[in-house]
Amino acid sequence: MYTPEAFAPKVDETGAAEKGSDYNENRAYATQPKYPLTSTSHESENASEMAEERSIGHSIVGKMNDEQLLVANFGADEDGFEVCTDCGAVSREGPLSNPHARPYPKDLRFVGEYDWDDQCTGSTVTTSFSHRFPSDLTVLQIPLGDEMEFVPSEAWFETPGQSLAEALVMGASRALGIEDDELEGGFRTRSAEHADIDARGVIEVFLFDTTAGGAGFSSRVWEEFDAVCAEARSILESCSCDTACHNCLRRYQNRHLHDSLNRHEGLALLDYAQTGTPPTLRPDKTQSLIKQLERALELKEEDVALRAIDDDKWEIEIDGTTMTFGIRSSLRRSRAPTSATYDEDYSDYELSQRLPEVAHSIVDQLQ
């Protein structure tokens, strides 16, 4: 990774700065801030330690001082950026041409003093950009027990952690009476062996100051964390949207995360953090998913019947053949096929994001 000292506007072949309207910008967003840069094992002498901590239900909330965070940008497709080692020009799309325009114009007042051509022929390297900065943190450590999923490699797994982080940021804004851009939130996962706990793994949600050098708001979050959690819960519970909207989790500062935010997933993780009880879906959310599944099946088969057996079990019949299924929070491990109660156990993520595949598999099983 490379930390650039400065950025300059793109220039044309004459060395004049291009205007933003002359090209279509392809944005490449930086990652969410990550911590720490040192080892994550508690057995390491370089491991980060809590300055203060206390229990909050099933979890631990702690305060960390002067922690190093990292923000990185790996490019639009996470393939990195091609950078000229001589002039610092950066390719936004594909390889740099050789020769290529330098990324800064000549000062016309000193043209006679320049000893380099307008076009550069330097070699290139592929790298990413990064920035390190210190900040105090408030960290919520949530150990995930045997009944919970711990699959950091799955794309959906970032949704609960990031949704809860955003809810806590907005909850802190309300509880502390500050603007929501004074704090930023993120999360990371840790395996059980690195956390030295009896759990499948840990989700750590953290909040930090956005002001350089810190404004002390993250410390106030630590001091008033119960009030912050109460406001975050209100944000997640009071909205009526299916996933997230501008009345709950979406705001301008997290616009690059809008597609991955889900208030139901954030609420499920908050419930588990506070109670340690594997999350269950709210009845209204379950009924919504059932109706979506029923409509998807009817598009594939006319002779389909879907009926409730009890509050947590349903039966599907197609041409006289039946199967039973349950619906669970995606944070919870599947209860099938180890449980004789269900033939299948679908997560809310599968029924909302992969509904066509689920409906197709059901029809295949019952035909």
Side-chain angles (χ1 to χ4, degrees):
M1 290 187 180
Y2 173 66
T3 301
E5 296 184 5
F7 288 95
K10 185 178 180 181
V11 298
D12 58 24
E13 293 181 357
T14 67
E18 281 191 0
K19 297 181 179 180
S21 59
D22 289 343
Y23 56 84
N24 293 320
E25 186 176 13
N26 182 20
R27 288 184 179 270
Y29 288 102
T31 64
Q32 289 300 103
K34 310 294 183 184
Y35 91 97
L37 300 180
T38 53
S39 171
T40 59
S41 172
H42 281 294
E43 297 179 356
S44 170
E45 61 181 11
N46 294 322
S48 299
E49 296 181 355
M50 298 289 189
E52 299 180 70
E53 65 179 50
R54 67 177 184 271
S55 296
I56 175 170
H58 175 67
S59 308
I60 292 174
V61 60
K63 177 182 177 183
M64 303 180 75
N65 297 325
D66 200 30
E67 188 67 32
Q68 289 290 318
L69 285 88
L70 171 71
V71 175
N73 193 325
F74 298 102
D77 298 317
E78 297 191 351
D79 293 328
F81 299 91
E82 189 168 0
V83 181
C84 176
T85 58
D86 285 353
C87 70
V90 179
S91 171
R92 296 185 309 172
E93 295 181 1
L96 276 172
S97 60
N98 197 347
H100 51 265
R102 296 177 183 273
Y104 37 81
K106 290 181 178 180
D107 190 329
L108 296 180
R109 296 171 299 174
F110 307 102
V111 171
E113 299 179 16
Y114 291 111
D115 60 356
W116 40 264
D117 298 329
D118 290 335
Q119 296 289 296
C120 176
T121 58
S123 59
T124 61
V125 295
T126 300
T127 185
S128 56
F129 297 129
S130 66
H131 170 59
R132 301 181 184 188
F133 62 97
S135 178
D136 295 340
L137 304 176
T138 292
V139 183
L140 177 62
Q141 294 183 334
I142 310 170
L144 302 181
D146 289 339
E147 294 185 65
M148 301 291 286
E149 283 282 19
F150 185 69
V151 284
S153 60
E154 292 288 339
W156 67 265
F157 197 70
E158 72 175 76
T159 293
Q162 194 61 59
S163 298
L164 179 54
E166 294 299 320
L168 290 173
V169 167
M170 300 179 71
S173 172
R174 294 184 181 183
L176 305 182
I178 61 176
E179 296 295 328
D180 59 15
D181 59 357
E182 297 284 2
L183 289 166
E184 191 169 342
F187 81 101
R188 71 170 182 176
T189 58
R190 301 176 68 190
S191 59
E193 59 266 27
H194 286 162
D196 294 339
I197 59 171
D198 183 18
R200 302 191 69 217
V202 177
I203 292 180
E204 293 184 337
V205 180
F206 57 93
L207 273 63
F208 61 93
D209 293 312
T210 56
T211 303
F217 294 127
S218 62
S219 296
R220 290 185 59 193
V221 170
W222 149 255
E223 295 167 358
E224 303 182 39
F225 196 72
D226 290 341
V228 171
C229 280
E231 291 290 353
R233 176 175 293 278
S234 175
I235 291 169
L236 295 169
E237 286 183 335
S238 60
C239 198
S240 59
C241 64
D242 287 336
T243 54
C245 68
H246 289 283
N247 290 325
C248 55
L249 292 181
R250 292 183 178 180
R251 54 197 178 105
Y252 179 78
Q253 287 82 0
N254 64 20
R255 60 195 180 279
H256 57 293
L257 299 172
H258 284 182
D259 290 342
S260 64
L261 296 178
N262 187 307
R263 68 182 184 91
H264 300 285
E265 297 293 332
L267 182 59
L269 185 57
L270 179 59
D271 284 339
Y272 181 75
Q274 294 180 323
T275 67
T277 302
T280 57
L281 298 177
R282 295 173 60 173
D284 58 336
K285 179 62 175 177
T286 300
Q287 288 303 315
S288 174
L289 293 172
I290 287 292
K291 290 180 180 179
Q292 292 177 33
L293 176 60
E294 187 172 28
R295 286 196 293 266
L297 290 172
E298 289 173 347
L299 291 174
K300 293 181 176 294
E301 287 290 331
E302 294 183 0
D303 186 18
V304 58
L306 194 157
R307 48 186 171 266
I309 297 178
D310 55 39
D311 292 340
D312 195 34
K313 186 177 180 180
W314 291 264
E315 182 181 73
I316 300 173
E317 180 178 354
I318 297 179
D319 295 333
T321 305
T322 63
M323 65 170 284
T324 60
F325 71 94
I327 300 178
R328 72 186 194 282
S329 165
S330 57
L331 281 168
R332 191 168 183 168
R333 297 179 74 181
S334 175
R335 296 164 290 185
T338 57
S339 171
T341 306
Y342 309 97
D343 295 320
E344 296 288 347
D345 192 27
Y346 299 113
S347 72
D348 54 348
Y349 176 81
E350 291 175 299
L351 293 181
S352 60
Q353 302 298 319
R354 299 176 180 172
L355 184 57
E357 294 94 322
V358 171
H360 184 75
S361 68
I362 291 174
V363 171
D364 283 349
Q365 289 184 58
L366 296 181
Q367 284 184 335

